[in-house]
Amino acid sequence: MTVTMVLKEGERFMRKPRKRSFAELVSENKRQLLKDQDAMEKIEERLELKRLNKAE
């Protein structure tokens, strides 16, 4: 079954925003973090402190 919409001149078809899955949100967040060097450094510092505290 195929649905075809015919629009008059000047009309716009407004699509309902598609909900992104959790995996898509995680991958988008990961891409943004990898681009942001300051955020990456903060994460690395926190991980290093966490490892040092566990080693004690």
Side-chain angles (χ1 to χ4, degrees), residues 34-52:
L34 289 171
K35 288 180 185 178
D36 187 354
Q37 192 61 36
D38 292 334
M40 287 298 294
E41 288 174 6
K42 287 180 185 178
I43 291 170
E44 289 171 356
E45 288 173 9
R46 281 188 276 168
L47 287 172
E48 188 175 338
L49 286 173
K50 192 174 183 178
R51 288 184 193 126
L52 289 173

Side-chain angles (χ1 to χ4, degrees), residues 8-31:
K8 295 178 186 173
E9 188 175 328
E11 287 183 345
R12 293 184 180 190
F13 176 67
M14 296 297 289
R15 210 179 266 187
K16 186 175 180 181
R18 185 178 69 87
K19 292 184 181 180
R20 290 182 273 175
S21 70
F22 182 74
E24 290 171 324
L25 292 172
V26 168
S27 65
E28 181 181 336
N29 190 27
K30 181 180 177 181
R31 273 186 263 115

